[in-house]
Amino acid sequence: MSVYDVAVIGTGGVGSAAFYHLAQAGANVIGLDRFTPPHDRGSSHGDTRVIRMAYFEHPDYVPLLRQAYQGWHALEEVAGKQIYFPTGVLQIGPEQGEVIAGIRASAAQHNLAIESFTASELPQAFPGVHPPENCVGLFERDAGYLLVSECVAAYLTAAQKLGATLRTNTAVESWEDQSGTFAVRTATETLHAKQLVICGGAWASQLIADLGVPLTILRKHLYWYENASPCYTAGNFPVFLMETPLGIYYGFPQIDSQGVKLARHDGGQPIERAEQHSQVEDSADRHSVQQFMSGYLPQLSHNLARHAACMYTMTPDQHFLVGTHPAHPGLHFAGGLSGHGFKFASALGEILSDLVTQGQTTAPIAFLSATRFS
Ligand SMILES: Cc1cc2nc3c(=O)[nH]c(=O)nc-3n(C[C@H](O)[C@H](O)[C@H](O)COP(=O)(O)OP(=O)(O)OC[C@H]3O[C@@H](n4cnc5c(N)ncnc54)[C@H](O)[C@@H]3O)c2cc1C
């Protein structure tokens, strides 16, 4: 019986990075995915992902973001192409709101550079923006976006060049801890590995159910609107996120012929299982995004060029689950990324690799432990 050092279950956003870092560390690694990543049936598609450092969600993410930025730059070296684009990120909201207060807390604690704009300064500094009343803007210059599918593809290619084995279109049906090795069952075979890394995205609740953390899957929508205004093109306009009375919305400057990509960050349609996900549109969500456009990006056309649907996998507190399974010391996981995890994938992959190869990590991930819910 051949036994791999480690099997990575799910080679999407985070799993592809773990797969690469394990191969780079010299592990005999196999990656298994139910589809062929990069694919559009999970959570890592739709062209672009925001990356920013002054993190409104919690200041404890900032050290992980420093590691993540380094990881993406390293991946660019390995892949020989640009995958991170530093357009700057403009975030707008009320001074005491979740976004602005959170950014200021992270920036103060970690000494991060942010530029402040009043509501009346914003339209001059960023033509095309009509900010909500009583809002301010914070601009983080060294922030931007990642090309999401290119990141996944680059990790998978680089790992295989290092000798890692990838099985696509291979769903793991179950795993079993056999005290010393793990048996991993697919429809056609049982593989054995000394350790497991589980990065199942929206399927995490099926693969790590015994962690006992309730995960909610939300269907989320992305829209690309045709654009004729030079205001919103890359070079003139940054990535943005706005906390408004309508909700929290974000978007990207026009980077190609598809137009300006926009989405609503809060809300979302809960589904029980990832298998129920589809690319079907949600007219209420689209209406909400168009109301946002009318109010706050008034020069943008409402002609829809493209739509895509994707899944957020939410933990009860919207912070990630990362670490080693308390009952299975050889099983490590990253899941419940709650709609903001892609930017961390490079760091999480490295952290998971360290947990496998060294039994520990120096990265400050205690706040992401699953035991916080027990
Ligand atoms: C619309 C949208 C916009 C977002 N915007 C941002 C953003 O701007 N910035 C940001 O940082 N984050 C963002 N996120 C969140 C981020 O994209 C996700 O947190 C991240 O991509 C999740 O990565 P993952 O590896 O957990 O999941 P995935 O990339 O979905 O990977 C999970 C993989 O596991 C595989 N799998 C599942 N079950 C099995 C099984 N049984 N056997 C084998 N394989 C299996 C799946 O096929 C899949 O490939 C956004 C998410 C969405 C949906």
Side-chain angles (χ1 to χ4, degrees):
M1 179 179 82
S2 74
V3 179
Y4 291 94
D5 290 336
V6 54
V8 177
I9 303 177
T11 57
V14 181
S16 63
F19 184 58
Y20 166 73
H21 282 287
L22 284 159
Q24 199 193 30
N28 178 18
V29 53
I30 182 166
L32 301 136
D33 201 286
R34 61 167 62 241
F35 302 120
T36 302
H39 61 79
D40 64 0
R41 300 171 76 174
S43 304
S44 301
H45 59 278
D47 302 355
T48 46
R49 288 293 184 271
V50 185
I51 179 165
R52 50 194 161 80
M53 182 90 86
Y55 215 57
F56 72 80
E57 290 86 342
H58 201 287
D60 288 356
Y61 285 99
V62 173
L64 301 179
L65 285 160
R66 291 193 202 283
Q67 184 176 350
Y69 271 91
Q70 282 175 9
W72 295 122
H73 288 310
L75 182 60
E76 288 185 319
E77 292 288 315
V78 169
K81 62 179 181 182
Q82 188 175 6
I83 51 172
Y84 165 60
F85 293 79
T87 54
V89 174
L90 174 65
Q91 298 182 80
I92 294 175
E95 192 65 72
Q96 300 309 324
E98 175 189 355
V99 173
I100 297 297
I103 294 170
R104 290 207 193 279
S106 271
Q109 188 171 325
H110 295 282
N111 198 22
L112 302 173
I114 46 169
E115 296 161 46
S116 297
F117 297 87
T118 63
S120 59
E121 288 168 342
L122 280 167
Q124 276 111 54
F126 301 97
V129 167
H130 182 102
E133 278 178 26
N134 302 320
C135 280
V136 297
L138 298 179
F139 185 60
E140 185 179 333
R141 199 164 284 277
D142 189 19
Y145 69 85
L146 296 157
L147 294 179
V148 58
S149 299
E150 275 80 345
C151 294
V152 173
Y155 273 135
L156 295 177
T157 301
Q160 290 174 94
K161 277 189 190 156
L162 291 167
T165 305
L166 181 61
R167 298 265 170 89
T168 55
N169 296 315
T170 306
V172 170
E173 294 182 345
S174 66
W175 56 265
E176 188 186 342
D177 185 347
Q178 299 180 330
S179 315
T181 57
F182 288 86
V184 176
R185 294 195 179 87
T186 72
T188 54
E189 62 180 330
T190 299
L191 302 161
H192 294 88
K194 291 179 202 154
Q195 298 194 65
L196 282 190
V197 168
I198 297 186
C199 300
W203 288 262
S205 54
Q206 299 171 34
L207 289 163
I208 44 174
D210 65 340
L211 275 180
V213 179
L215 299 175
T216 308
I217 304 169
L218 297 176
R219 286 187 74 234
K220 303 291 295 183
H221 300 269
L222 297 164
Y223 306 92
W224 286 257
Y225 284 93
E226 287 174 10
N227 174 45
S229 167
C231 291
Y232 303 120
T233 54
N236 294 337
F237 207 67
V239 169
F240 60 91
L241 183 141
M242 274 195 229
E243 183 175 2
T244 75
L246 300 172
I248 299 179
Y249 300 81
Y250 64 93
F252 300 78
Q254 178 173 9
I255 56 173
D256 57 28
S257 58
Q258 300 179 100
V260 171
K261 181 179 138 186
L262 291 170
R264 181 167 183 173
H265 181 51
D266 59 339
Q269 176 197 1
I271 51 173
E272 286 200 355
R273 291 173 68 84
E275 287 80 357
Q276 294 165 344
H277 182 54
S278 74
Q279 291 298 318
V280 170
E281 270 199 54
D282 175 338
S283 56
D285 186 83
R286 181 171 161 192
H287 177 69
S288 155
V289 168
Q290 292 189 180
Q291 266 189 307
F292 163 78
M293 290 159 61
S294 299
Y296 308 115
L297 301 173
Q299 291 168 54
L300 192 55
S301 121
H302 285 209
N303 294 336
L304 188 66
R306 180 182 160 201
H307 159 267
C310 187
M311 290 180 280
Y312 282 9
T313 307
M314 312 297 287
T315 64
D317 62 7
Q318 301 184 19
H319 297 300
F320 311 158
L321 293 177
V322 184
T324 296
H325 197 298
H328 305 286
L331 192 167
H332 317 279
F333 55 84
L337 301 185
S338 302
H340 60 111
F342 190 82
K343 62 181 80 61
F344 295 88
S346 57
L348 294 177
E350 197 174 0
I351 289 164
L352 289 165
S353 172
D354 288 346
L355 291 174
V356 169
T357 59
Q358 298 166 31
Q360 59 182 6
T361 173
T362 53
I365 57 165
F367 76 111
L368 303 174
S369 162
T371 56
R372 73 184 183 274
F373 295 111
S374 50

